[in-house]
Amino acid sequence: MAASTSKEDDFAKYMAEVKQIEKADAVLTSEQQVTRLNRPGSKYFNLNPFDVLQIMPDTPMDEVKKKYRKLSILVHPDKNPGNQENAQKAFDAVKKSWELLNNEKERTECMGIVEDAKNRLEGKLKLKRKKLKKDGASSTEIAEDDSVVYAMELHKETCKLFADLALVRKEMEMREMNERKRQRQQEIEAEEKQSLQKEWNKNYEESREGRVSSWQDFKGGKKSGKKRKAAKTVAGFRPPKVRMEQR
């Protein structure tokens, strides 16, 4: 029971810390927001919609919508004429995050990822404390016992989990795309084979009459030659002369 209470207290500290960070970040200017969403590793961090929109997973949707509108205005390319390329990337990240969380199914999945990240981190911290105890350390206190460090580690674990999921999805999409290509190639080959067979059948039928006619002419020619030979033999036959008997 005490362990459960400690875990709840840690998470409560984390929530309080993140809310303080969120409050501080809320005053960021357009330039600062664009920079934040294009910082090193942004491709990795921006997969986490809660990180992009700077909200807690349990933030009510009406508040999420307000935050989305505010950020989309701040990072809009028209609002940042001197840095439109990065502004467009930031705007796309904000828009994609909103679309994810505005979809009930996707939002539930995102909430699940956050919960999984928390459970993974707790498992790692448990092993870390267990190792200290096994090694005979005088204290099992770890850096993550500090709420700020815990918040940072949970943030990293959450972003990593979102990145891992994106990688798995990409690999699945690639496999599905390759499978579709393979099936399409087989269909094309089958269609070509069928087309060639039809063409062969067509040519065969078209030439059939000519072949039959040629065969008939050939057979007719042989018969005609035999008749001519027979007629010639009959016509050229000369019966022997009968000699009168002499006495």
Side-chain angles (χ1 to χ4, degrees):
M1 184 71 178
S4 177
T5 303
S6 176
K7 183 177 177 181
E8 290 176 359
D9 290 343
D10 286 341
F11 191 64
K13 290 178 182 178
Y14 160 70
M15 294 277 285
E17 183 66 28
V18 172
K19 284 182 179 179
Q20 289 179 8
I21 295 172
E22 178 189 354
K23 186 177 180 180
D25 286 345
V27 297
L28 290 176
T29 64
S30 293
E31 183 180 354
Q32 290 171 320
Q33 285 289 2
V34 170
T35 300
R36 177 180 73 87
L37 294 170
N38 283 277
R39 67 193 185 279
S42 59
K43 186 177 180 181
Y44 167 80
F45 291 115
N46 290 353
L47 293 170
N48 182 349
F50 303 111
D51 185 77
V52 172
L53 297 179
Q54 299 177 305
I55 57 173
M56 294 300 298
D58 60 352
T59 302
M61 281 307 296
D62 58 339
E63 292 298 321
V64 175
K65 190 172 184 178
K66 288 178 183 178
K67 193 62 181 287
Y68 158 66
R69 287 179 173 174
K70 180 178 180 179
L71 281 174
S72 63
I73 292 172
L74 284 174
V75 302
H76 196 282
D78 292 345
K79 186 81 172 178
N80 299 271
N83 193 14
Q84 288 193 332
E85 184 177 349
N86 284 337
Q88 185 64 56
K89 292 178 182 178
F91 180 81
D92 291 342
V94 169
K95 183 180 179 183
K96 183 178 180 180
S97 296
W98 161 249
E99 289 173 346
L100 274 174
L101 298 181
N102 193 42
N103 181 296
E104 186 175 353
K105 182 180 178 181
E106 297 284 357
R107 180 180 172 84
T108 300
E109 186 175 328
C110 290
M111 296 279 283
I113 292 173
V114 173
E115 189 64 26
D116 287 345
K118 185 173 69 173
N119 292 334
R120 286 191 181 191
L121 179 59
E122 288 297 333
K124 289 180 179 180
L125 299 185
K126 184 178 179 179
L127 290 174
K128 198 172 182 180
R129 292 189 183 95
K130 187 176 180 180
K131 187 176 185 304
L132 286 173
K133 187 176 180 179
K134 183 179 179 181
D135 292 344
S138 58
S139 172
T140 57
E141 185 177 346
I142 56 178
E144 290 81 3
D145 288 335
D146 180 271
S147 60
V148 176
V149 177
Y150 182 87
M152 291 173 61
E153 290 302 314
L154 183 54
H155 176 260
K156 286 193 291 186
E157 193 70 34
T158 303
C159 289
K160 182 179 184 302
L161 209 53
F162 271 105
D164 289 344
L165 180 61
L167 182 62
V168 169
R169 284 178 172 174
K170 186 174 181 180
E171 289 176 350
M172 288 179 64
E173 288 173 0
M174 286 296 294
R175 283 199 296 267
E176 289 174 359
M177 183 179 71
N178 290 334
E179 179 61 20
R180 288 195 297 270
K181 284 183 177 179
R182 187 186 67 80
Q183 291 179 355
R184 182 53 187 155
Q185 185 61 35
Q186 288 181 339
E187 290 173 359
I188 291 173
E189 290 174 358
E191 289 170 1
E192 290 178 347
K193 185 176 180 180
Q194 187 177 15
S195 177
L196 288 172
Q197 185 63 46
K198 285 182 178 179
E199 185 68 22
W200 190 91
N201 291 340
K202 180 182 177 183
N203 292 337
Y204 182 83
E205 289 299 323
E206 288 178 350
S207 62
R208 183 177 182 181
E209 184 177 347
R211 293 196 308 276
V212 171
S213 178
S214 297
W215 175 247
Q216 289 175 343
D217 290 345
F218 174 72
K219 290 182 68 177
K222 288 181 69 176
K223 289 180 179 180
S224 176
K226 287 180 179 180
K227 288 179 180 179
R228 285 196 299 271
K229 186 176 180 181
K232 183 177 181 181
T233 303
V234 173
F237 179 73
R238 295 290 183 270
K241 294 181 179 180
V242 180
R243 295 182 178 180
M244 298 299 293
E245 184 177 352
Q246 294 180 357
R247 297 184 178 226

